[in-house]
Amino acid sequence: MFAHGTWSGYKSNASSLPQLTPVQVLKLKQLTMLTLAEANKILPYDVLMHELDVVNVRELEDFLINECMYVGIVRGKLDQQRRCFEVQFAAGRDLRPGQLGNMIHTLSDWLGTSDNLLITIQEKIKWADTMSELDKKHKKENEDRLEEAKNVLSLKADFDFQGHGLFAEPGGVMDFDQDRRSKRRRHPMG
């Protein structure tokens, strides 16, 4: 009973089983709650009250809160409006006879999915590393071109400043308008 039985299973066979103490009854009701939560994620209050042999909603909610949620065997939400318990987490129970094959199949599927996910993640990491290297290479090329352009402009500016540009005078830069004005002042009549 305590390995994989339920309270309703005990009640239907109570005549052939030893009488349970109050602590054992509580334990079997908690295990019943785990069995129900394992099968369904939405548990109507009516089903819970019948399976747990509870007479009213107040008693059911007290049991769910104090004996299940606070103990940590289930987590969920009590929905009084819809009269149900929404299971978010339930602790596991011992496997019932015949469940081992299903458990192995479920774990094998999980392992396959995990392996595929790992391969996908490794591929994404490799792609991200490649893109990062390409980005670094592109950035370095742009920085090198920028530095080369700065050097060319700097050399050209130095060359032009020294008066060796295409339109420069041999002695340096000369302002033609300024030269004409100075000649006019020397020869006011001419």
Side-chain angles (χ1 to χ4, degrees):
M1 276 285 139
F2 288 96
H4 45 78
T6 63
W7 175 247
S8 60
Y10 172 79
K11 284 189 341 181
S12 62
N13 295 313
S15 59
S16 62
L17 296 170
Q19 188 170 349
L20 299 177
T21 67
V23 172
Q24 291 172 325
V25 170
L26 173 62
K27 179 71 170 179
L28 192 53
K29 286 184 176 186
Q30 289 172 326
L31 292 171
T32 299
M33 183 62 195
L34 290 178
T35 300
L36 294 170
E38 175 185 276
N40 298 301
K41 297 303 173 199
I42 305 291
L43 299 170
Y45 280 2
D46 293 337
V47 170
L48 291 173
M49 290 190 325
H50 174 10
E51 290 294 322
L52 298 171
D53 200 23
V54 176
V55 293
N56 62 47
V57 172
R58 173 67 183 194
E59 187 180 342
L60 173 65
E61 288 179 344
D62 286 347
F63 171 77
L64 290 173
I65 293 168
N66 298 323
E67 306 301 338
C68 296
M69 290 194 280
Y70 283 164
V71 174
I73 62 172
V74 295
R75 273 194 313 267
K77 178 183 173 191
L78 299 171
D79 188 338
Q80 293 175 337
Q81 190 173 22
R82 290 180 32 213
R83 294 181 45 91
C84 66
F85 179 70
E86 298 176 14
V87 179
Q88 296 170 345
F89 161 81
R93 282 198 71 177
D94 294 342
L95 293 176
R96 291 182 288 283
Q99 281 188 314
L100 185 59
N102 287 340
M103 181 65 70
I104 290 171
H105 178 72
T106 300
L107 290 173
S108 294
D109 287 348
W110 177 82
L111 181 61
T113 301
S114 297
D115 286 343
N116 290 336
L117 182 60
L118 181 60
I119 290 168
T120 301
I121 289 171
Q122 288 171 337
E123 289 172 352
K124 295 286 185 185
I125 290 171
K126 186 177 179 181
W127 176 84
D129 287 345
T130 301
M131 295 309 290
S132 176
E133 287 302 316
L134 287 173
D135 188 47
K136 286 178 186 175
K137 183 180 176 183
H138 182 70
K139 185 177 179 180
K140 176 74 171 123
E141 289 172 356
N142 285 340
E143 287 173 354
D144 290 347
R145 280 188 271 181
L146 179 63
E147 193 61 35
E148 184 179 327
K150 284 180 182 178
N151 288 339
V152 166
L153 289 174
S154 176
L155 287 173
K156 183 176 179 350
D158 286 348
F159 187 71
D160 287 346
F161 181 72
Q162 294 173 1
H164 300 291
L166 291 174
F167 301 107
E169 298 281 329
V173 179
M174 178 179 243
D175 188 343
F176 179 73
D177 287 337
Q178 185 180 9
D179 188 47
R180 278 179 49 186
R181 277 184 270 157
S182 65
K183 288 181 180 176
R184 284 185 194 152
R185 286 186 189 146
R186 279 187 237 151
H187 307 289
M189 303 301 272

